[in-house]
């Protein structure tokens, strides 16, 4: 594969369009709004934007319930708006990726309306319909995401349909070749319009066992901690071999238009199963690695994971890292604002493609949503798991609408986040935004940080340290994951150099000799003197 693809060098920025920028005052972000704010992204230095779904949708799941895969929902604008955005992004050298939701449609999609209308409808077999068991119960014991049966009874035609998410998100029947072709055609439609790739939603649940075999119970289930569906081991309805084969076909479709189109995929699987989705010409280029979303924030745990992950990658596979997304509490809330800075340095210096979630560059935190204003349906179905807090609007300035909207934002901005706005941070050398911009700038200028080899450096206590090395260049990254100061002894001259960037302003250019002092919650990137031998360890 080589290290040449734009998506290998680049940083991907996830936009949640409802909350990025509202251009028309209806309180919901839109495509002209993204266009208006594109300069923020080029100033920041990202290489690609991935837009969460913008297609026509009843918005039961805020766009992840698609009723037309080749259109644009009026709340976001028009097809012309999208074309303009893509052209403007391309003119700035920024790629545009769309979210593609193949597992399920909206129940308002014409395909499902037809499918549901009669057992004889030609589209009946486009979805997964089954008779009850002889006792009248659901066809298998499979659970959906929120923990009840994944089968939904449909009175009108006297069968169950299968759905992993909401009732209004019926699963497509990917065993049907007509479904495959119709969905592949939606990819072709966007590729022909200049879209640079796709993030594939919920890929693991694409296909289910055709014999409907029951799942076994999960002996390790931790009630209250694990999502309720985890009380069974989803062996028969998740990550089936047919899904991997279909991923290869998806790749073939995007490769029809050249080799610079990219597929990202949400898998949410253990490491060994994620890496199976790689494949030089028949795999997903960026099967998301979600480990940093949930890992214990512990230096040896993370260092161990990096080692295992890199070792598990098949030849030619390219790593990737994710710190946050629209489904997970924000990193600054999980780790606190000081460690969020360290986490940003980690994300942007580990080997592999980083994905930034909008607002992470500002250190946005989760916004508590008053009970009467909760919108995410998951909050009702799995109490405590609602995703509104991490989906609140981007604050652009300190106005009441935060520069996001002249109307009433669809979710509250939150006072804390309003104060973290772009205008307030832009020229502040100590801000989270400046840290992100500098990290992105450093990556751009420093091939070793992008394509260089990774060498773990042994460090004690809370310190996570590694070197990124390329011919003639060596960069030491040392991250203090704890609140107390730490001191690293740097053996010999091998890692002597100067501080290129610290999470704590004021250290730029500082020489590093026999030891490196780190403040609590501090991370530094050190440019090592050239010509010194490759390091093996720090104690
Ligand atoms: C994963 C998406 O990220 C999430 O937001 C959505 O609710 C489910 N897939 C269903 O599409
Ligand atoms: Mg499915």
């Amino acid at each position: 594969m080589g290290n040449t693809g734009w998506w290998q060098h680049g940083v991907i920025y996830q936009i949640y369009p409802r909350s990025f920028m509202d251009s028309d005052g209806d309180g919901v972000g839109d495509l002209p709004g993204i266009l208006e704010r594109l300069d923020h992204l080029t100033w920041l230095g990202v290489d690609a934007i991935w837009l969460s779904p913008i297609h026509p949708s009843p918005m039961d799941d805020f766009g992840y319930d698609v009723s037309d895969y080749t259109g644009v929902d009026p709340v976001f604008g028009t097809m012309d708006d999208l074309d303009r955005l893509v052209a403007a992004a391309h003119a700035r050298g920024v790629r545009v990726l769309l979210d593609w939701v193949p597992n399920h449609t909206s129940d308002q999609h014409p395909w499902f309306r037809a499918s549901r209308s009669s057992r004889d409808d030609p589209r009946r077999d486009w979805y997964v319909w089954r008779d009850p068991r002889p006792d009248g119960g659901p066809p298998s014991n499979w659970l959906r995401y929120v923990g009840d049966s994944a089968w939904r009874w449909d009175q009108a035609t006297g069968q169950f349909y299968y759905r992993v998410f909401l009732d209004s998100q019926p699963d497509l029947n990917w065993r049907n070749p007509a479904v495959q072709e119709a969905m592949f055609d939606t990819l072709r439609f966007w590729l022909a319009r200049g879209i640079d790739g796709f993030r594939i939603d919920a890929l693991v649940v694409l296909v289910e066992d055709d014999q409907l075999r029951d799942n076994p119970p999960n002996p390790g289930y931790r009630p209250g901690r694990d999502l309720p569906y985890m009380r069974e081991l989803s062996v028969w309805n998740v990550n089936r071999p047919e899904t991997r084969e279909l991923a290869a076909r998806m790749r073939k479709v995007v490769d029809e238009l050249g080799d610079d189109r990219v597929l990202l995929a949400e898998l949410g699987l253990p490491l060994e199963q994620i890496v199976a989705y790689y494949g030089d010409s028949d795999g997903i280029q960026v099967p998301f690695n979600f480990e940093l979303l949930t890992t214990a924030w512990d230096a040896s745990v993370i260092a161990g994971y990096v080692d295992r992950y890199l070792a598990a990658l098949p030849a030619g596979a390219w790593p990737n890292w994710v710190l946050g997304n629209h489904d997970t509490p924000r990193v600054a809330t999980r780790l606190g604002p000081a460690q969020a800075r360290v986490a940003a340095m980690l994300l942007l210096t580990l080997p592999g493609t980083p994905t930034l979630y909008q607002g992470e560059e500002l250190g946005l935190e989760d916004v508590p949503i008053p009970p009467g204003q909760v919108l995410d349906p998951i909050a009702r179905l799995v109490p405590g798991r609602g995703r509104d807090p991490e989906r609140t609007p981007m604050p652009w300035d300190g106005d009441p609408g935060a520069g996001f909207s002249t109307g009433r934002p669809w979710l509250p901005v939150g006072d804390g986040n309003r104060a973290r706005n772009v205008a307030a941070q832009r020229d502040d050398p100590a801000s989270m935004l400046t840290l992100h911009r500098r990290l992105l700038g450093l990556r751009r200028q420093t091939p070793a940080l992008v394509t260089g080899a990774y060498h773990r450096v042994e460090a004690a206590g809370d310190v996570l340290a590694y070197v990124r090395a390329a011919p003639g260049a060596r960069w030491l990254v040392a991250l203090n994951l704890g609140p107390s100061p730490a001191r690293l002894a740097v053996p010999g001259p091998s890692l002597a150099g100067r501080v290129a960037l610290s999470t704590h302003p004021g250290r730029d250019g500082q020489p590093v000799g026999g030891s490196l002092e780190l403040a609590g919650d501090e991370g530094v990137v050190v440019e090592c003197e050239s010509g010194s031998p490759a390091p093996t360890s720090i104690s």
Side-chain angles (χ1 to χ4, degrees):
M1 184 184 309
N3 299 337
T4 52
W6 66 264
W7 52 271
Q8 291 169 304
H9 298 260
V11 175
I12 297 168
Y13 184 97
Q14 179 191 356
I15 290 183
Y16 194 71
R18 296 185 71 84
S19 289
F20 195 66
M21 176 68 201
D22 170 23
S23 71
D24 60 3
D26 66 355
V28 178
D30 46 48
L31 295 168
I34 299 173
L35 178 61
E36 241 176 80
R37 298 293 188 185
L38 212 48
D39 286 342
H40 167 72
L41 300 174
T42 45
W43 173 85
L44 183 61
V46 306
D47 299 87
I49 52 178
W50 141 36
L51 310 181
S52 275
I54 51 154
H55 307 306
S57 163
M59 302 290 166
D60 288 357
D61 193 18
F62 296 107
Y64 285 95
D65 47 328
V66 177
S67 55
D68 172 6
Y69 285 92
T70 55
V72 172
D73 194 283
V75 81
F76 297 124
T78 63
M79 192 64 98
D80 280 349
D81 292 329
L82 181 62
D83 287 343
R84 268 192 289 275
L85 173 60
V86 172
H90 285 172
R92 291 163 166 84
V94 173
R95 307 298 218 284
V96 182
L97 313 176
L98 295 183
D99 215 312
W100 187 58
V101 188
N103 176 66
H104 47 273
T105 70
S106 160
D107 64 349
Q108 298 309 308
H109 195 295
W111 297 342
F112 189 70
R113 292 165 76 111
S115 183
R116 188 179 218 172
S117 68
S118 141
R119 290 198 190 198
D120 303 322
D121 189 276
R123 298 238 197 259
R124 183 65 168 184
D125 190 44
W126 280 44
Y127 294 81
V128 186
W129 292 98
R130 290 290 185 279
D131 289 330
R133 284 192 171 174
D135 66 0
S140 71
N141 73 351
W142 304 340
L143 302 175
R144 67 169 170 156
Y145 180 75
V146 301
D148 55 1
S149 172
W151 296 98
R152 171 79 183 172
W153 177 250
D154 196 52
Q155 189 61 43
T157 53
Q159 281 191 313
F160 286 92
Y161 67 87
Y162 183 74
R163 50 85 175 99
V164 177
F165 296 102
L166 304 177
D167 293 347
S168 58
Q169 291 171 302
D171 276 45
L172 280 164
N173 175 18
W174 272 86
R175 294 181 182 280
N176 183 335
V179 169
Q180 298 170 6
E181 275 319 306
M183 287 301 289
F184 292 155
D185 279 346
T186 67
L187 293 176
R188 294 186 179 105
F189 174 89
W190 291 113
L191 291 166
R193 278 193 108 84
I195 293 299
D196 298 289
F198 305 89
R199 175 265 192 186
I200 306 174
D201 182 75
L203 180 58
V204 276
V205 288
L206 201 65
V207 185
E208 301 78 37
D209 179 41
D210 51 356
Q211 297 174 48
L212 309 186
R213 280 169 277 199
D214 275 347
N215 282 330
N218 175 4
Y221 177 60
R222 300 163 303 177
R225 285 189 62 190
D226 295 329
L227 279 163
Y229 80 87
M230 292 167 79
R231 66 181 187 273
E232 65 185 31
L233 295 171
S234 309
V235 290
W236 295 111
N237 58 336
V238 175
N239 195 26
R240 301 302 304 153
E242 294 89 338
T243 298
R244 179 63 187 85
E245 286 162 23
L246 285 162
R249 307 236 342 251
M250 293 168 190
R251 172 64 181 276
K252 292 244 170 333
V253 172
V254 296
D255 280 357
E256 285 168 13
L257 287 224
D259 61 5
D260 65 341
R261 314 290 174 111
V262 66
L263 288 176
L264 286 45
E266 181 196 35
L267 290 159
L269 291 169
L271 173 54
E272 305 67 34
Q273 294 171 39
I274 289 179
V275 298
Y277 278 81
Y278 279 106
D280 243 7
S281 58
D282 64 353
I284 304 290
Q285 292 103 322
V286 184
F288 276 140
N289 165 13
F290 283 162
E291 185 68 12
L292 295 180
L293 294 175
T294 52
T295 181
W297 205 247
D298 174 285
S300 62
V301 170
I302 295 175
Y305 180 81
V306 175
D307 286 346
R308 275 187 291 126
Y309 177 58
L310 297 179
L313 294 180
W318 190 252
N320 76 84
W321 301 94
V322 178
L323 263 187
N325 60 31
H326 64 296
D327 294 329
T328 318
R330 283 196 175 272
V331 60
T333 299
R334 278 187 285 133
L335 304 178
Q339 274 302 314
R341 297 174 69 91
V342 178
M345 190 169 271
L346 175 72
L347 173 76
L348 294 164
T349 58
L350 280 173
T353 303
T355 301
L356 270 175
Y357 174 49
Q358 85 180 28
E360 238 163 62
E361 77 275 30
L362 302 174
L364 294 193
E365 297 186 8
D366 288 352
V367 177
I369 310 293
Q373 293 177 43
V374 170
L375 296 177
D376 180 16
I378 297 297
R380 250 191 338 274
L381 294 164
V382 195
R385 299 279 180 152
R387 300 163 296 179
D388 296 326
E390 63 263 22
R391 297 177 173 181
T392 58
M394 274 286 280
W396 298 96
D397 60 37
D399 287 356
F404 162 73
S405 178
T406 54
R408 182 164 183 268
W410 73 290
L411 283 174
V413 173
D415 291 339
N417 282 352
R418 183 178 291 98
R420 299 181 183 102
N421 68 71
V422 172
Q425 295 199 36
R426 220 182 124 102
D427 300 320
D428 174 359
S431 73
M432 184 69 152
L433 182 56
T434 299
L435 176 66
H436 275 82
R437 183 160 186 256
R438 291 194 59 197
L439 279 164
L440 288 166
L442 190 61
R443 274 179 72 89
R444 203 174 283 282
Q445 291 161 17
T446 314
L449 288 177
V450 179
T451 53
Y454 168 93
H455 302 289
R456 174 176 176 175
V457 172
E458 291 305 326
D462 288 330
V463 177
L464 174 61
Y466 45 91
V467 164
R468 302 297 310 278
R474 228 172 12 263
W475 295 72
L476 167 69
V477 181
L479 307 169
N480 187 353
L481 270 44
S484 316
R487 181 167 187 275
L488 295 179
V490 181
S494 65
L495 292 178
R498 55 161 200 100
V499 173
L501 181 54
S502 166
T503 54
H504 289 36
R507 279 193 78 168
D508 289 8
Q510 224 178 68
V512 174
S515 71
L516 175 60
E517 310 280 343
L518 291 172
D521 302 316
E522 184 181 27
V524 297
V525 181
V526 175
E527 180 175 14
C528 303
E529 276 157 20
S530 54
S532 47
T536 47
S537 72
I538 289 182
S539 51

